[in-house]
Amino acid sequence: DIQMTQSPSSLSASVGDRVTITCRASQSINNYLNWYQQKPGKAPRLLIYAASSLQSGVPSKFSGSGSGTDFTLTISSLQPEDFASYYCQQTYSTPHNFGQGTNLEI
Amino acid sequence: QITLKESGPPLVKPTQTLTLTCTFSGFSLATSGVGVGWIRQPPGKALEWLALIYWNDDRRYSPSLKSRLTITKDTSKNQVVLTMTNMDPVDTATYYCAHRQIYDAFDIWGQGTMVTVSS
């Protein structure tokens, strides 16, 4: 199995800040990396697929980069609605494991 | 518009078999490229990928749970069913089904169904 490690596990930021979340794969996954946002009590929402492709309807304040084993999700100009949990997921090989999540707090 | 909805018992006893149904609309599992997956999330914990079934009946499972899981599709009913045998309290979680898009990302999710395993 490919293991996904996110850092940090939690992150405190303020409205207007720019933040970066990192995801590392235990082996190369090319660009088979997706990012999700999840708010309490809600299903996850796909933000980024293929490492850097913005999902339809997702604001451009979200951006992804990386290839191989190291990936980042950047959120610019944080707004109150962006405070949530974020998960990466590799889909290079099954099982399509998720990272442990990053809790973005005010 | 694609929608998915999970259904199943909210409470099961240890050792019992859980059967969850994902009923969807807006797409067909008879269409090339389409897939539906199952993901779960224990309270306060991370997402866990469980299984995925494709339009061609290719089925993929989490190796750690493969002996306990079966995923099937009923194209005529627009349903995907996940069964999990020998349920244990550690299987208590919200179970989601989701539509697979390019790169096997899940673009549309059901609302989730909470399953508690307790005697």
Side-chain angles (χ1 to χ4, degrees), chain B residues 60-100:
Chain B
R60 305 298 176 95
Y61 295 99
S62 170
S64 63
L65 293 168
K66 185 174 183 178
S67 63
R68 299 173 54 205
L69 292 175
T70 303
I71 189 170
T72 59
K73 61 181 174 70
D74 186 329
T75 305
S76 64
K77 292 183 179 179
N78 281 349
Q79 291 180 334
V80 170
V81 175
L82 181 76
T83 61
M84 181 179 293
T85 62
N86 194 24
M87 293 292 285
D88 183 272
V90 299
D91 297 314
T92 294
T94 297
Y95 287 77
Y96 297 98
C97 64
H99 173 265
R100 172 253 184 194

Side-chain angles (χ1 to χ4, degrees), chain A residues 1 31-34 36 38 42-46 49-50 55 87 89 91 94-101, chain B residues 39 41 45-49 52 54 60-64 96 101-107 109-112:
Chain A
D1 295 8
N31 68 333
Y32 284 80
L33 192 284
N34 311 310
Y36 299 84
Q38 187 181 31
K42 299 295 186 181
R45 171 195 182 195
L46 178 64
Y49 66 94
Q55 179 68 8
Y87 293 90
Q89 179 204 23
T91 53
T94 55
H96 294 162
N97 287 332
F98 293 88
Q100 83 277 18
Chain B
I39 307 96
Q41 186 173 37
K45 295 189 177 181
L47 300 166
E48 180 181 13
W49 187 92
L52 178 57
Y54 295 92
R60 305 298 176 95
Y61 295 99
S62 170
S64 63
Y96 297 98
Q101 66 156 43
I102 188 173
Y103 274 79
D104 280 336
F106 294 126
D107 61 336
W109 294 60
Q111 64 189 23

Side-chain angles (χ1 to χ4, degrees), chain A residues 5-11 21-22 85-86 100-105:
Chain A
T5 303
Q6 286 182 236
S7 61
S9 295
S10 64
L11 176 60
I21 299 169
T22 298
S85 294
Y86 292 85
Q100 83 277 18
T102 295
N103 187 27
L104 178 55
E105 304 171 324

Side-chain angles (χ1 to χ4, degrees), chain B residues 15 22-23 25 30 33 45 56 63 70 73 75 85 87 96 105 109 113-115 117-118:
Chain B
T15 76
C22 177
T23 303
S25 63
K45 295 189 177 181
N56 59 359
T70 303
K73 61 181 174 70
T75 305
T85 62
M87 293 292 285
Y96 297 98
W109 294 60
T113 186
M114 179 66 192
V115 178
V117 184
S118 175

Side-chain angles (χ1 to χ4, degrees), chain A residues 37-76:
Chain A
Q37 176 194 65
Q38 187 181 31
K39 297 182 179 179
K42 299 295 186 181
R45 171 195 182 195
L46 178 64
L47 300 175
I48 302 284
Y49 66 94
S52 60
S53 296
L54 192 67
Q55 179 68 8
S56 176
V58 174
S60 58
K61 63 188 305 181
F62 295 95
S63 63
S65 66
S67 184
T69 60
D70 294 319
F71 302 86
T72 60
L73 172 71
T74 299
I75 312 168
S76 62

